[in-house]
Amino acid sequence: NQARIHFFSLHRDPRNFTDPARFWPERWLIAEGLRPCPPALQASFIHNPGAFVPFSHGPANCVGKALAMHEMRTVVCHVVQRLRLAFAPGWDTRQWEREIEDKFVVRHGKLLVVAQTRG
């Protein structure tokens, strides 16, 4: 008998992460001690890396996880070095999250960004 976990809810649970709905990648650096925690959050900072399961878990997890992680690191490095990313002018940055529909397989709306070569 296997338990089923709704990972989207697990990732968005404030018992696992401070301000879980906010795009805040620095939280991982703070949790690793690589960045200082903002003073206003020091007493209440919550970060449970065990609650972040983007590739599923157990015997049915993603067989390509290691390759995917390596590829993502490579792509992110190339993108950050070569492009400047910004949301499209006038686009409501909260719109993308409002349009997410969780139907076991997540369907999301448009994420409008502008990519320009660095120069």
Side-chain angles (χ1 to χ4, degrees):
N1 195 10
Q2 291 187 355
R4 305 279 185 223
I5 297 173
H6 189 248
F7 292 122
F8 184 84
S9 297
L10 185 68
H11 296 165
R12 300 301 174 107
D13 190 332
R15 293 173 295 181
N16 292 320
F17 301 102
T18 298
D19 201 1
R22 183 172 137 215
F23 178 72
W24 184 33
E26 293 82 11
R27 76 175 76 233
W28 295 91
L29 298 174
I30 293 167
E32 292 289 322
L34 300 173
R35 285 248 174 105
C37 187
L41 293 176
Q42 284 180 347
S44 62
F45 182 73
I46 301 168
H47 186 83
N48 179 3
F52 185 63
V53 194
F55 292 96
S56 191
H57 182 72
N61 73 338
C62 180
V63 297
K65 175 182 175 180
L67 177 60
M69 294 298 287
H70 178 72
E71 290 290 325
M72 283 190 284
R73 285 185 200 100
T74 302
V75 168
V76 167
C77 286
H78 284 283
V79 167
V80 170
Q81 289 174 358
R82 291 174 173 78
L83 300 174
R84 183 176 324 250
L85 300 173
F87 290 113
W91 186 66
D92 180 2
T93 58
R94 295 167 296 184
Q95 177 180 349
W96 188 77
E97 182 136 2
R98 283 194 307 264
E99 291 179 351
I100 291 175
E101 294 179 30
D102 183 12
K103 297 180 180 177
F104 188 70
V105 174
V106 176
R107 180 194 159 289
H108 53 80
K110 296 177 182 177
L111 180 60
L112 302 176
V113 296
V114 176
Q116 299 175 324
T117 57
R118 292 185 181 265

